[in-house]
Amino acid sequence: MAAADSPSAALRRRDLCSRGIRLAGKMRSDVVDLLDTYVERQGLDASASVAAVEGVPAAAVERWDEQTGTQRLLENLAAYRAFRVLLSQMLEEHREQLGEADAALGRALASVLLQVSAFAYHLEELLRLESRGPPSEEGAPPPPAPHLGLFERKLRGLGVLRELAQWAVRSTRDLRQLTKPSLGSGLAPSRAESP
Amino acid sequence: DSHIQYERVGADVTMKCGSMDWDAAVTWTANGTDIDESHLNGSYLILKNVDLTHSGQYSCYEGSSWHLKYQTYLGVGTPPKEPVLMCRSNNYPKGFYCSWHLPTPTYIPNFFNISVIHGMREMVCEKDIFPKNRCHIKYLQLFSTVKYKVTLTVTNALGKNSTTLTFDEFAIVKPDPPESVVAKPVPNNPRRLEVSWQNPSSWPDPESFPLKFFLRYRPLILDQWQHVELSDGTSHTITDAYAGKEYIIQVAAKDNDIGTWSDWSVAVHATPWTEEPKHLTTEAQVTETTSASTSSFMPPPTTKICDKGAVVGSGAVAVCWTAGLVLAAYGVLFI
């Protein structure tokens, strides 16, 4: 823990957070554009309500302001690892369904997938800085894509992208909290929270 | 025993004098003034095609004894039209408020009931004391993709109406305008104005939820605004102001990531710094005085204005010649 609090570690953390905020901002902007393209190309109604999609991490959180820095990083990392899998599945389904017929949508999906991967790596770096290290991804393979009809798959994709756009905003806010010099932004859990 | 009754504009109203028989001798008053017998059908008071002027206190007295037999307040009005509802978060991420009004008055008392549903959860909207047609809700969750559904129902004695708003958490975020906008000239800089402002005091945590700003400015003599978007900081220096012209300046704010722009701030006025005008020398003033009797206007002599000692640079002579020509032409106009 002492290493995590050293001045150089604090500077590195601040730098990673600042870059992470810029990454998240760009990612959000691209996801919003992708959403517009996706809705149009898939023939969906932009205002359609999509029920909570199984396996998609919800950005919604209660008592957000009370979270510790560690909680923020861990929840973000879990989310973006899940989105990496989900977007890969979407990309594969898109290629199977349309092949090269809609290359623009495929490229946009691939670009966002790349940014999600980069952001996940960024979060892993922040957790390594904490000397805690990111949780391992080894073990159980990612769950297979559910067998859904074409329309259900389109709606699921809409739900994935909407939730990702929400996460991008949440991540920006989370990283800003980490840069705050107050106690609440400390990455290490407070004494009260220690087991 | 006093009663209250509400009737629609245009309705025909019949009032009975309590338990008095139809053929009893009674006197009706409206707001203390006797009502003419032509409005009576036996002891019943008949008001046809009522309008707002019929609203008031109606009393019925037994003929000779003047005992009060019945009293009612009549309110003439209309059922409510669809209310206008607005919801906004000017203090994100704490919560949001909803406010409402009726597009046209009903002239009788109305009761408002608001329900807020988020997913499966019904939320409580705490009524504000002032203004009274407003309530506020604390966010229980942030970053939710589930929409909020707000339904306002207005009811009065003559009917009810309602309206529903459905929105995302981010869509209603709109800060209040920036506060304490100040614009000042910059000494020795005739084309600059320094503008500063503060975050709206209602925005609870600008450090975690920073605002960005939009500044607009124009000289009073022109209609076209110039705009500058600023992603951080609460000050800006305008560097392209027209020298000597009074400017009007306003600022708006928006959350860096979500929502919409605030209304424009209160406008401030400022004029860039200008150099103090030079005074004429004593010799020039004497020349003007001695020439006053021969003509009403004499152009000031060019020698002193274009004194080589005062004008620096190789173009001094050309400048002096030009100045003399201009002044001479100006003098001709006034002879």
Side-chain angles (χ1 to χ4, degrees), chain A residues 76-103:
Chain A
N76 271 267
L77 181 58
Y80 285 95
R81 281 176 172 174
F83 279 117
R84 199 164 51 197
V85 172
L86 291 164
L87 286 171
S88 298
Q89 288 171 349
M90 279 177 68
L91 194 54
E92 199 175 312
E93 284 167 4
H94 170 79
R95 284 174 183 151
E96 282 171 8
Q97 181 193 334
L98 291 165
E100 288 303 309
D102 194 349

Side-chain angles (χ1 to χ4, degrees), chain B:
Chain B
D1 202 21
S2 194
H3 301 83
I4 301 176
Q5 65 186 92
Y6 296 104
E7 305 288 345
R8 281 184 193 234
V9 170
D12 294 339
V13 179
T14 300
M15 289 186 197
K16 291 184 183 177
C17 187
S19 55
M20 299 290 282
D21 293 331
W22 175 82
D23 57 357
V26 299
T27 302
W28 283 91
T29 65
N31 299 322
T33 304
D34 288 7
I35 298 174
D36 188 75
E37 282 182 4
S38 61
H39 294 282
L40 300 187
N41 177 358
S43 64
Y44 296 175
L45 174 63
I46 312 293
L47 301 172
K48 286 195 176 293
N49 191 24
V50 295
D51 60 35
L52 298 178
T53 62
H54 287 99
S55 295
Q57 187 82 9
Y58 290 81
S59 306
C60 176
Y61 300 90
E62 190 176 13
S64 51
S65 67
W66 278 91
H67 283 147
L68 178 66
K69 287 298 185 182
Y70 181 77
Q71 197 168 55
T72 186
Y73 175 84
L74 171 67
V76 179
T78 59
K81 288 202 163 78
E82 185 177 336
V84 178
L85 175 66
M86 180 274 285
C87 296
R88 178 180 158 218
S89 174
N90 65 340
N91 63 344
Y92 190 80
K94 277 195 174 167
F96 64 93
Y97 71 86
C98 294
S99 65
W100 55 87
H101 67 271
L102 288 173
T104 54
T106 62
Y107 304 101
I108 59 174
N110 303 298
F111 299 94
F112 296 91
N113 183 55
I114 192 160
S115 84
V116 181
I117 296 174
H118 183 226
M120 303 297 290
R121 190 188 284 185
E122 178 144 13
M123 302 172 76
V124 174
C125 196
E126 306 266 3
K127 289 267 176 84
D128 287 349
I129 297 165
F130 183 81
K132 57 180 183 156
N133 59 334
R134 193 158 121 164
C135 66
H136 60 271
I137 296 156
K138 287 185 188 165
Y139 280 123
L140 298 177
Q141 272 187 343
L142 289 181
F143 316 111
S144 173
T145 49
V146 175
K147 289 184 190 290
Y148 289 82
K149 184 176 166 187
V150 181
T151 301
L152 176 74
T153 305
V154 56
T155 309
N156 70 18
L158 302 176
K160 70 196 274 186
N161 215 321
S162 67
T163 190
T164 297
L165 273 187
T166 306
F167 51 84
D168 287 313
E169 174 188 319
F170 292 170
I172 61 166
V173 175
K174 178 181 174 181
D176 288 329
E179 296 174 4
S180 307
V181 182
V182 173
K184 291 191 286 198
V186 178
N188 303 305
N189 279 280
R191 300 203 65 189
R192 290 189 176 217
L193 287 169
E194 230 166 47
V195 188
S196 64
W197 58 89
Q198 289 177 6
N199 289 312
S201 50
S202 52
W203 196 252
D205 188 3
E207 204 181 326
S208 303
F209 296 84
L211 296 172
K212 59 183 176 183
F213 301 97
F214 214 72
L215 188 139
R216 71 175 185 180
Y217 58 97
R218 63 174 173 87
L220 285 183
I221 56 172
L222 295 178
D223 291 331
Q224 191 84 6
W225 291 96
Q226 284 180 269
H227 296 93
V228 180
E229 186 167 331
L230 303 151
S231 57
D232 55 21
T234 54
S235 63
H236 176 71
T237 301
I238 296 167
T239 57
D240 60 351
Y242 290 116
K245 301 299 176 200
E246 185 180 352
Y247 271 75
I248 180 168
I249 299 144
Q250 289 178 293
V251 192
K254 181 184 168 301
D255 177 88
N256 221 35
D257 304 299
I258 61 172
T260 57
W261 287 98
S262 72
D263 292 341
W264 290 107
S265 69
V266 169
V268 295
H269 293 241
T271 306
W273 174 91
T274 50
E275 195 173 353
E276 288 288 326
K278 286 189 171 57
H279 294 294
L280 294 172
T281 62
T282 315
E283 197 174 317
Q285 286 169 344
V286 167
T287 307
E288 276 189 15
T289 308
T290 53
S291 305
S293 59
T294 54
S295 69
S296 58
F297 175 80
M298 277 292 287
T302 57
T303 49
K304 283 300 172 188
I305 290 171
C306 294
D307 182 9
K308 283 181 189 173
V311 180
V312 179
S314 58
V317 171
V319 169
C320 285
W321 183 85
T322 308
L325 194 64
V326 167
L327 289 168
Y330 194 57
V332 164
L333 281 173
F334 281 87
I335 292 171

Side-chain angles (χ1 to χ4, degrees), chain A residues 11 17 24 39 46 48 61 72 80 85 100-101 119 124 126 132 172-173 195:
Chain A
L11 272 170
C17 286
V39 160
V61 59
R72 294 179 196 283
Y80 285 95
V85 172
E100 288 303 309
F119 195 72
E124 288 167 0
L126 273 162
R132 184 193 174 98
T172 302
R173 313 289 199 192

